[in-house]
Amino acid sequence: MDRLAEEYNAEAERLAEQLDLCGIKKEALSSKARLSLHLLASTASKLQLAEARPELVLAAWADLLVKESRATAVLHKLQEGIDSLAQKKAAAQATNQVLQQILQDVQSQQRRLADKVSEQAKTTGQMRVKQQEYCRTQAKYQRRLAANGFTPEITHAALEADHNRVTELQQRLAGLQAKLASYHHLPASMLGAELALQQASERLVEKQANLQSRLADIE
């Protein structure tokens, strides 16, 4: 910076010399001219120019505008990226809220299910206790029945089962009797049956002969 200040001071001296050569004193310049000269020197200083020539100032100024334009474009892209991230963040927050609601619903269902399971376990325990009481009561009455001479064979269920078996046997017996009657009271043995059939045939022949004899007498 000191070097630039020295250069600007030297440039100011050169400008003053040129003004002197032209017969123009710095003090003779108007306030606006001096202000313009000061602004030109200040602008050259900020643009880091070795000389405060107008063409150099304009070129540096144009380069600065190009850089500013590029910076604006980059800033615009950054802003678009920020907006996109903001939208994604909002969508993620909305999704997160939905997921949290779903999680709360699932947790609520789990609590209700746990309560139901606990209630069922309690009911099962009560039923188990009642079953044990019923078993003890049944055993007590069975002991009393045994003391009074009761035997399980004459229970209603056992009698009902025996009745069903007797009915089934009677039905089978009726079927066998009907089948036996279809044999016209033939003996059970094969030899006896053949003898009975032979005797029946002989009686049939005898009756046929008698019938023919009577028919002959009628004629």
Side-chain angles (χ1 to χ4, degrees), residues 19-88:
L19 290 173
D20 290 338
L21 292 175
C22 295
I24 300 173
K25 298 294 183 180
K26 183 178 179 181
E27 292 77 7
L29 294 174
S30 64
S31 59
K32 291 183 178 180
R34 287 197 299 271
L35 179 60
S36 297
L37 183 62
H38 176 72
L39 290 175
L40 181 61
S42 177
T43 302
S45 175
K46 291 182 179 180
L47 294 176
Q48 297 182 354
L49 297 176
E51 297 180 4
R53 289 184 297 174
E55 62 272 17
L56 295 178
V57 173
L58 291 176
W61 184 259
D63 183 63
L64 182 62
L65 290 177
V66 171
K67 291 180 180 179
E68 182 182 5
S69 177
R70 292 176 180 174
T72 302
V74 173
L75 181 62
H76 180 69
K77 290 183 179 180
L78 290 175
Q79 186 63 41
E80 288 180 348
I82 292 173
D83 294 340
S84 177
L85 289 175
Q87 293 177 357
K88 291 180 180 179

Side-chain angles (χ1 to χ4, degrees), residues 40-151:
L40 181 61
S42 177
T43 302
S45 175
K46 291 182 179 180
L47 294 176
Q48 297 182 354
L49 297 176
E51 297 180 4
R53 289 184 297 174
E55 62 272 17
L56 295 178
V57 173
L58 291 176
W61 184 259
D63 183 63
L64 182 62
L65 290 177
V66 171
K67 291 180 180 179
E68 182 182 5
S69 177
R70 292 176 180 174
T72 302
V74 173
L75 181 62
H76 180 69
K77 290 183 179 180
L78 290 175
Q79 186 63 41
E80 288 180 348
I82 292 173
D83 294 340
S84 177
L85 289 175
Q87 293 177 357
K88 291 180 180 179
K89 180 181 178 181
Q93 289 177 346
T95 303
N96 186 33
Q97 291 179 355
V98 173
L99 292 176
Q100 287 181 351
Q101 184 63 40
I102 293 174
L103 179 60
Q104 291 177 0
D105 294 340
V106 171
Q107 290 176 347
S108 178
Q109 292 178 0
Q110 287 179 344
R111 287 192 296 270
R112 289 196 297 270
L113 181 60
D115 294 339
K116 185 176 181 180
V117 171
S118 177
E119 185 66 23
Q120 289 179 349
K122 182 179 179 181
T123 303
T124 302
Q126 293 175 352
M127 292 178 64
R128 187 178 294 110
V129 171
K130 289 182 179 180
Q131 182 182 8
Q132 293 174 355
E133 292 178 356
Y134 293 152
C135 290
R136 288 194 295 269
T137 303
Q138 181 182 6
K140 181 177 68 174
Y141 284 114
Q142 285 178 347
R143 289 193 297 271
R144 289 184 180 179
L145 291 173
N148 293 326
F150 174 81
T151 57

